[in-house]
Amino acid sequence: MRTVYFTDGTAEGFFSAVFDAYGDKGAFLTSSDAFQAALDDSFVRVPPSPEKAARVVKKLEALDRGCLWEIDCILRTPEADREQAAFLYIRLLTEHKGPVRGMLSRPEVRRARELAERVGQERHRLTGFLRFRETADGVFYAPCTPDNDVVELLMPHFAARFKTFPFVIHDLKRKLAGLCDGRNWTVVPAPEAELVLSENEDEFEALWKKYYRTVNIPSRRNIRQMKGYMPVRYWKFLPEKQDDSP
Amino acid sequence: MERKWYDKGEKTAREERGAGEGAMIDEERLKILTDGAKYDVSCSSSGSGRKNTRDGLGNASMAGICHSFTQDGRCISLLKMLMSNDCVFDCVYCPNRRSADVPRASVSPEEMCELVTGFYRRNYIEGLFLSSAVLKSPDYTMELLLETIRKLRTEYRFNGYIHLKGIPHADRALTERAAAYADRMSYNVELPSERSLRLLAPQKTKESVFAPMRQLAEEKREFALEYKRRTGKEEGRGRGKFLPAGQTTQMIVGASPETDGQILRLTQFMYRKYDLKRVYYSSYVPVVRDPLLPDVQAGLLREHRLYQADWLLRFYGFSCEEIVAEDGNLSPEYDPKCAWALRNPQFFPVEVNRAGVEELLRVPGIGAKGAYKIVAARRYAALTFEDLAKMRIVLKRAKHFITCGGKFCGAKTLERARGELILAERADGARQLSLFDGAEPLTLAASPEEKQFLLKSSPEAARAALTGQF
Ligand code: SF4
């Protein structure tokens, strides 16, 4: 028989559930309503508890410093099994009393790494594919619809680069936005944004599109490779791809 | 008026500068100057860890970042442009040569700075790849380039990536000063032999390219020594002030008759002698018709094979002599590592559960990442073929060259293996992503732990596989 531990979807909620479920061999952790329940499942709803979460985090930190980053990434995926994948990974780690990421013949490790790498890859891609537009009041605004919840992971990258003007990274799917005033940044709920663009914006976009078209070498056309590196789902906010059909 | 969240009560940089006041380049000139620069295939922004300053714009990312991809599948990372296409030299293969009848254009340093910073704030680019035709004279041009990147760094406080392509024959003091602002510099060899150079690029000599390369390599070494004397520490990779991303060069392949063997020998020579970070190969594209030049585009397969061979030199501990004979060419049928393995069956099969990293790296089909995975996983349990498959190690090629716990599942004879490898290559051929100039996938792939691990546990070859250095 298995016990399903429902969490509220936050990292704190997850770590609290790890605390409660750790000794339970038949535990299944999820925050998704969409998971498949079995007839003889029993259910527990786990409220987030800062104390429990802190104890789990402290323990994990002592066992393997790198694992917290991986778990953070795993929980940012939209996969229905993300909590369970992270939980199984943690369990192996604590049983082994140390890092297990090299144990690739274990399915728990493969799944955990696959999910973590997916988030790392999307974060990396978006450091390149995000496009900012300058608004009339000098804020640089970048919309996106990432597969994973990566805005928070992108903010430090851009905050280090952009120190002389404010900027916004807006996840339109999750309706949240990272705001940075040039010094400090934060992530807040943000349903939608109204944009009044600066007068320079069209000119820069036109120059960029011209550049994109010109730098291509037509006799070496290789659309397949282009799409392999830059999947079509990221084209939506690229000015240079607005005239191209996928 | 209500104060907005971003309003610190200070002026933004744009307001300080005055919106729209800076000189802007027009689309027409941008087109001409981009057209003239695009046959330089390098667009990489990796190798430098330059940090932003307190009130500056931008930084550099060690692994490099691609911001877009062109229809030909290449990464766009840097804004690649000429200062001018108005050339006093007359290289036969070049559309900008003096005798060509083409529209000419130039930009001013201010226009270039406005464009770069405007693009950078919008996250279109990682930085600038700046080069130029020889306008008036080599020194005049080099001064113009120097002035541009000086302005960009000091007045525009730009700390993103700058790759400067130097002008051969320019004064060495200019070269040295430019190196203080750039992350990477390159002097293009262009043609793989002195003879071809004389024929096709009459104003350039091998020495005019090697002299600044040598100068920069020496200055970089001196800088590192000096740094060590002063601080007692190794110059941090990328953190050193002097050309953190080193030097690169480019050769045009297929415009002249040199063999792959000659090209790779020259490549190896430059890696060893001048510490180059990368040699780029550019398949000749006929933009100019001339009796001295072939009419047809050089095959992309040849370029691809050269890049594969180059990777073996840089990352896998191979020497040029092992890969191809001086008067020989690379096999079109299989990749150079396969070809080497088939010529050297005495080294195989290797036992996956025991072989050293260096041996694993020499197995066709196993790359640096695969070798890492194997070494990491086998510490916990002996690996079987199923384990390898689950770890997503592609066995199509490797299976002919390895055993797993003594078991072998490759072809029975060398002849059969050869046949299967050719088929594997054909099946992949069309799909294979070229090594052309992506985001340096190796550095990207390795997590900090993987790097640490490989650096600690293995010899030179694995070190090279991760750091990208020779
Ligand atoms: S120096 Fe030669 S290759 Fe360079 S722009 Fe002038 S003609 Fe072209």
Side-chain angles (χ1 to χ4, degrees), chain B residues 87 89-91 93-94 96-98 132-134 190 204:
Chain B
C87 199
F89 281 13
D90 213 23
C91 307
Y93 51 85
C94 176
N96 299 324
R97 70 195 188 285
R98 188 182 55 213
S132 183
V134 185
E190 305 292 14
K204 290 182 192 160

Side-chain angles (χ1 to χ4, degrees), chain A residues 110 113 127 130-131 134 137 160-161 181 201 211-212 214 216-217 219-220 222-223 225 240 244, chain B residues 6 8 14 38 52 58-59 67-73 80 122-123 126 297 300 303 390 450:
Chain A
R110 288 199 302 272
R113 284 187 55 157
T127 59
L130 274 191
R131 292 289 179 267
E134 188 182 31
D137 25 0
R161 294 187 161 197
D181 63 4
E201 203 45 40
Y211 180 75
Y212 180 77
T214 312
N216 178 43
I217 299 178
S219 62
R220 304 186 58 151
N222 190 346
I223 298 289
Q225 183 171 313
E240 70 270 28
D244 291 359
Chain B
Y6 51 80
K8 298 193 297 279
R14 206 173 86 79
K38 73 181 177 191
N52 200 357
N59 61 26
H67 286 252
S68 194
F69 288 85
T70 49
Q71 307 263 340
D72 57 26
K80 204 166 12 173
R122 285 164 180 78
N123 204 38
E126 276 302 286
Q297 171 159 343
L300 287 181
E303 183 189 285
K390 281 192 211 136
E450 287 173 11

Side-chain angles (χ1 to χ4, degrees), chain A residues 7 23 53 55 63 116 124 126 142 178 200-201:
Chain A
T7 80
R55 283 179 62 180
L63 288 174
H124 180 80
L126 284 173
N200 288 335
E201 203 45 40

